[in-house]
Amino acid sequence: PFDKFKSFSDYNNNMLIDFLRRFDFEFEFKSATEQYKSGNFNSGLEAIFDNYEKILNVILPTLGKDRRKTYSPFLPICNSTGKVLQVTVKELKMKEKKIVYFNPNTNSLDESSIFDGNCKLQWKVDWAMRWFTFDVDFEMYGKDLTESAILSNKICKSLGKNPPNGFAYELFLDEKGEKISKSKGNGISIEQWLRYASPESLSLYMYPNPKRAKKLYAEVVPKTVDEYLTSIEKYPS
């Protein structure tokens, strides 16, 4: 994808946009990188900073002993390399809204503003920060993210806002009943489905029983198409 797109994430973002347009979703796409750099996340970042200890009290009990020693909600962007650093925060400068940390690239202490794309957040904290910033009132997520959603809910409450109503949907399984994995290559993709069958047949497969795990493999496609055609034939009666 790098011949055509700026990065792998840019490639995936474009895949998402193409998918949403294909199914006529109404949406406004927001890039997280742009939201950080433009300052749109600054109020949320400041709320995280001001409630630093509360957030640690939520996250640390879920981590292993060694990880607890180094964990910080904030991940500074290295001034010299532009890379995200997962480092121990040594000090919080409350007035300036800066973090002080040991930079392994320079072998010295550095400091960074939390604003305007100079830091990003660990993802569970980031999730809650987005809810806080955008006043999100409904969030869907896969069943495998339930525990993360619980933590993000607690963080959002610690920032003084109610978390969104959540809906955990079931996972897709292969023909053996195992979770579909892109790294394993089991199951099929939405794109593969639409290569051989209509969007309407896909909708018929997707929408019923969202809290029930569904098997998604090649043989499911013609079966669902048959069900769709049968439903059309029966519709007048």
Side-chain angles (χ1 to χ4, degrees):
F2 297 106
D3 292 335
K4 191 175 179 181
F5 301 98
K6 292 181 291 186
S7 65
F8 193 68
S9 59
D10 185 45
Y11 165 73
N12 279 306
N13 286 340
N14 277 274
M15 291 269 287
L16 171 62
I17 290 169
D18 288 344
F19 172 83
L20 294 172
R21 285 175 176 161
R22 184 184 298 185
F23 285 90
D24 296 325
F25 282 98
E26 292 183 18
F27 69 95
E28 180 183 354
F29 179 78
K30 293 180 183 286
S31 157
T33 300
E34 291 171 5
Q35 296 302 303
Y36 271 107
K37 289 183 177 180
S38 68
N40 286 348
F41 280 160
N42 281 356
S43 61
L45 292 165
E46 185 170 9
I48 298 293
F49 190 85
D50 291 342
N51 291 278
Y52 195 92
E53 291 300 323
K54 288 183 182 178
I55 291 166
L56 287 184
N57 290 337
V58 172
I59 296 290
L60 292 186
T62 69
L63 303 177
K65 183 178 179 181
D66 292 338
R67 187 72 184 94
R68 288 180 206 170
K69 297 176 183 177
T70 61
Y71 180 86
S72 167
F74 289 95
L75 301 171
I77 311 298
C78 179
N79 294 325
S80 57
T81 65
K83 302 292 184 182
V84 179
L85 299 174
Q86 189 156 299
V87 291
T88 306
V89 171
K90 301 291 187 181
E91 180 187 352
L92 301 178
K93 292 192 171 183
M94 302 304 294
K95 188 175 181 180
E96 299 97 326
K97 306 300 180 187
K98 290 182 176 181
I99 59 171
V100 179
Y101 62 94
F102 180 79
N103 188 335
N105 295 322
T106 60
N107 208 31
S108 62
L109 287 178
D110 273 350
E111 64 178 46
S112 176
S113 168
I114 65 168
F115 299 133
D116 303 324
N118 291 293
C119 282
K120 66 173 295 187
L121 294 172
Q122 302 268 7
W123 93 265
K124 292 171 189 174
V125 184
D126 179 275
W127 204 7
M129 183 272 293
R130 297 179 194 213
W131 296 344
F132 175 90
T133 302
F134 295 132
D135 291 321
V136 176
D137 51 26
F138 180 73
E139 180 80 46
M140 293 176 66
Y141 45 85
K143 180 182 176 181
D144 54 338
L145 294 182
T146 301
E147 292 300 320
S148 299
I150 291 171
L151 285 179
S152 295
N153 270 263
K154 291 178 180 178
I155 293 168
C156 193
K157 288 179 180 177
S158 72
L159 302 180
K161 278 194 179 180
N162 290 324
N165 290 317
F167 180 82
Y169 52 85
E170 264 291 354
L171 306 177
F172 293 106
L173 309 175
D174 67 9
E175 57 191 314
K176 297 178 182 177
E178 297 178 354
K179 179 183 172 183
I180 284 180
S181 165
K182 288 183 179 178
S183 59
K184 290 181 181 178
N186 58 340
I188 63 171
S189 68
I190 298 301
E191 290 75 21
Q192 287 172 308
W193 184 301
L194 294 175
R195 189 181 305 158
Y196 300 106
S198 67
E200 291 81 7
S201 67
L202 178 61
S203 295
L204 179 63
Y205 170 81
M206 290 286 286
Y207 284 121
N209 303 309
K211 289 199 170 187
R212 184 187 301 166
K214 294 179 174 156
K215 291 185 177 182
L216 181 57
Y217 55 96
E219 286 77 4
V220 170
V221 181
K223 179 184 176 186
T224 307
V225 171
D226 286 345
E227 290 176 2
Y228 175 64
L229 294 175
T230 300
S231 296
I232 290 177
E233 290 173 4
K234 290 181 176 179
Y235 180 75
S237 61

